[in-house]
Amino acid sequence: MTEDSAVREWTPGRAVDVAGTLAPLRRGRFDPTYQLSVDGSLWRTMLTPIGAATQRISVRASEGVVVGESWGDGAQWAADRLPASLGADDDVSGFDASLHPLVARQWHRHSAGLRTPAVGLVLEMLVAAVLEQRVTGNEARRSWRWLLTRHGDGAPGPAPEGMRVFPSVEACRRSPSWEWHRAGVEQARSATIMALMTVASRMAECVTMSGEAARARMQLVPGVGVWTAAEAAQRALGDADAVSYGDFHVAHNVVYALTGEIDGTDERLAELLAPSVGHRGRVVRLVELSRIRRPARGPRYAPIDFRQS
């Protein structure tokens, strides 16, 4: 490997579900920062504190070794972060899955390899979550692709075609308000992203804080609430206790899956998750993986085209 590349071989001593662990990072099928190859390897891009990086993650199953090949100025940072990104610091020893039969079944199915990722990229995860506020998934994914394509740099190294790196603070700041508007991002969300750019270094410090303290700091930024902070903490910090209260679907679907009750609320969700303090986000994730959904009721949400307003 050259001086701007690095290889990390990690022997975790357990099975590692690379795709399952990192799946929450993927923003749609055509996410420019995430790609699965036909050979089973997973490609990611990231803007590390040192610079841009591309990482290819593969597994030598017969040896129980996870291999991370990284390129770019941030290659060594990405290599060093590989175990944490795949949940090496996620302590599941105190998790009691027997509190509900569905959770127990799901944990039996996924416990060997599924962990909570801690990719360490707080700003990137926050911006992605802000773009998902109050809009449909398709709308958010379109805006995410626009941001990466318009303002992100090409991925370093032998990355698959079309992969891009999350833009720098300076690149985001240079984007005028009308560009955000054309990309389907209204003034409230673009203002939140601009506010995050002004405190980027303070957000980066969240990796050294407890989950609760980090989420509290994130919420000091205007426009970042409980939901947005939880979405970022789950991915950037490996916060297995963070719950996305305020989500359009989470309370309805999880409450329905655990109780059969149709009209789930955040209050009811909190009540059901209370016995799992420390692992409440893990319970939600396991229920989501069951694909049990509350029966559809009422009209579908109609996407809002902010470009016409």
Side-chain angles (χ1 to χ4, degrees):
M1 286 269 169
T2 63
E3 59 181 337
D4 60 347
S5 61
V7 175
R8 174 70 184 269
E9 295 193 354
W10 175 47
T11 305
R14 60 172 176 83
V16 174
D17 182 355
V18 173
T21 296
L22 296 180
L25 306 182
R26 191 178 195 179
R27 311 290 173 172
R29 181 180 176 186
F30 302 107
D31 184 347
T33 71
Y34 186 111
Q35 188 169 135
L36 288 169
S37 296
V38 292
D39 64 2
S41 60
L42 187 152
W43 292 82
R44 289 183 55 223
T45 69
M46 63 199 85
L47 184 63
T48 78
I50 311 303
T54 299
Q55 186 172 66
R56 176 183 181 269
I57 306 173
S58 58
V59 178
R60 296 204 301 264
S62 62
E63 303 172 45
V65 175
V66 179
V67 182
E69 303 168 82
S70 305
W71 297 266
D73 291 340
Q76 191 59 56
W77 188 95
D80 293 342
R81 191 78 195 184
L82 178 68
S85 295
L86 293 174
D89 300 326
D90 183 16
D91 184 3
V92 301
S93 61
F95 179 48
D96 183 5
S98 68
L99 293 171
H100 191 280
L102 172 62
V103 177
R105 289 195 301 272
Q106 286 295 96
W107 188 236
H108 177 73
R109 179 178 301 172
H110 297 286
S111 61
L114 189 70
R115 293 295 184 270
T116 306
V119 299
L121 306 169
V122 179
L123 187 65
E124 182 172 336
M125 298 301 113
L126 277 169
V127 170
V130 170
L131 290 176
E132 294 176 342
Q133 292 175 348
R134 303 182 299 278
V135 297
T136 65
N138 285 336
E139 292 172 286
R141 289 189 285 270
R142 183 189 68 191
S143 298
W144 178 249
R145 289 194 299 272
W146 165 82
L147 177 62
L148 271 293
T149 303
R150 179 70 177 83
H151 295 288
D153 292 328
E161 183 179 357
M163 294 198 76
R164 309 285 291 182
V165 179
F166 183 76
S168 66
V169 169
E170 293 75 19
C172 287
R173 283 176 170 170
R174 286 196 301 265
S175 180
S177 59
W178 58 266
E179 270 203 359
W180 290 99
H181 193 71
R182 287 179 59 185
V185 183
E186 86 291 353
Q187 194 276 334
R189 285 184 293 155
S190 63
T192 298
I193 292 172
M194 291 300 102
L196 285 168
M197 296 303 143
T198 67
V199 292
S201 61
R202 298 287 286 166
M203 294 300 100
E205 292 171 358
C206 289
V207 297
T208 65
M209 303 167 66
S210 69
E212 185 176 358
R215 281 181 269 129
R217 174 175 289 191
M218 294 177 199
Q219 290 175 66
L220 293 175
V221 179
V224 175
V226 172
W227 181 88
T228 304
E231 289 286 302
Q234 292 160 8
R235 295 160 173 81
L237 310 178
D239 188 349
D241 198 45
V243 179
S244 301
Y245 292 114
D247 189 273
F248 189 75
H249 300 289
V250 168
H252 289 313
N253 290 336
V254 175
V255 170
Y256 175 77
L258 296 180
T259 69
E261 298 168 13
I262 294 294
D263 295 315
T265 64
D266 280 344
E267 291 74 21
R268 180 61 169 140
L269 177 62
E271 178 185 341
L272 293 171
L273 295 178
S276 300
V277 169
H279 303 272
R280 288 173 290 191
R282 192 186 318 281
V283 172
V284 172
R285 173 77 173 134
L286 289 170
V287 173
E288 289 175 339
L289 287 171
S290 75
R291 299 190 180 278
I292 296 175
R293 302 289 185 269
R294 183 185 71 157
R297 302 174 64 190
R300 292 174 64 92
Y301 171 78
I304 301 172
D305 190 347
F306 294 104
R307 296 170 296 178
Q308 302 301 317
S309 58

